């Protein structure tokens, strides 16, 4: 067995199986586990997926939202135990792998055309 096969077999036990197929341009609601004092709660983070990178256990997405007029981006490791759930609210028509151009857009210019399938 080579080194890559050994690493893949060790990572396999940490992979989540209940994740939806998240694509670029999707508007998602990510449930993030937040620890406050001794309690834990799930806080939703809703925005547009502008980037996706990595494979296997290292798969991550970048979600962008506008909060009080300021663009906020957050990177989520999808197989992390800190991610409680991911819900896809809407799919969009996109023709690029990365939507970094949305960073320069403001207001209605950031809207993406909805995809029906």
């Amino acid at each position: 067995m080579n080194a890559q096969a050994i690493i893949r077999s060790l990572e396999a036990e940490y992979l989540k199986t209940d994740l939806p197929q998240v694509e670029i341009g999707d508007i998602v609601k990510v449930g993030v586990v937040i620890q406050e004092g001794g309690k834990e709660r799930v806080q939703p983070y809703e925005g547009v997926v502008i980037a996706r990178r990595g494979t296997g256990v290292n798969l991550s997405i970048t979600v962008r939202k506008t909060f009080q007029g300021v663009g906020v981006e957050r990177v989520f490791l999808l197989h992390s135990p800190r991610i409680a759930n991911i819900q896809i609210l809407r799919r969009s028509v996109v023709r690029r792998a990365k939507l970094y151009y949305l960073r320069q857009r403001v207001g209605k210019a950031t809207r993406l055309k909805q995809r029906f399938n």
Side-chain angles (χ1 to χ4, degrees), residues 67-87:
F67 182 72
Q68 295 182 353
V70 178
V72 179
E73 291 182 8
R74 200 161 165 194
V75 179
F76 296 104
L77 281 166
L78 292 185
H79 296 286
S80 168
R82 289 279 167 222
I83 303 298
N85 57 0
I86 297 176
Q87 181 182 4

Side-chain angles (χ1 to χ4, degrees), residues 50-104:
I50 63 166
R52 179 183 164 124
R53 66 181 297 180
T55 59
V57 136
N58 299 317
L59 180 61
S60 66
I61 59 171
T62 303
V63 180
R64 179 179 177 82
K65 74 174 182 178
T66 304
F67 182 72
Q68 295 182 353
V70 178
V72 179
E73 291 182 8
R74 200 161 165 194
V75 179
F76 296 104
L77 281 166
L78 292 185
H79 296 286
S80 168
R82 289 279 167 222
I83 303 298
N85 57 0
I86 297 176
Q87 181 182 4
I88 298 175
L89 303 178
R90 194 177 122 184
R91 296 199 181 270
S92 302
V93 177
V94 292
R95 298 173 66 179
R96 296 169 185 257
K98 306 280 193 263
L99 302 181
Y100 295 143
Y101 69 90
L102 291 177
R103 292 172 176 166
Q104 281 78 43

Side-chain angles (χ1 to χ4, degrees), residues 12-55:
E13 63 188 75
Y14 297 106
L15 292 176
K16 291 183 181 177
T17 57
D18 59 340
L19 291 177
Q21 185 64 36
V22 178
E23 297 174 11
I24 307 300
D26 290 354
I27 296 176
V28 296
K29 187 183 285 188
V30 181
V32 186
V33 176
I34 303 291
Q35 200 165 25
E36 294 176 333
K39 297 183 206 168
E40 285 187 347
R41 67 180 180 88
V42 177
Q43 179 178 11
Y45 187 91
E46 185 177 330
V48 180
V49 177
I50 63 166
R52 179 183 164 124
R53 66 181 297 180
T55 59

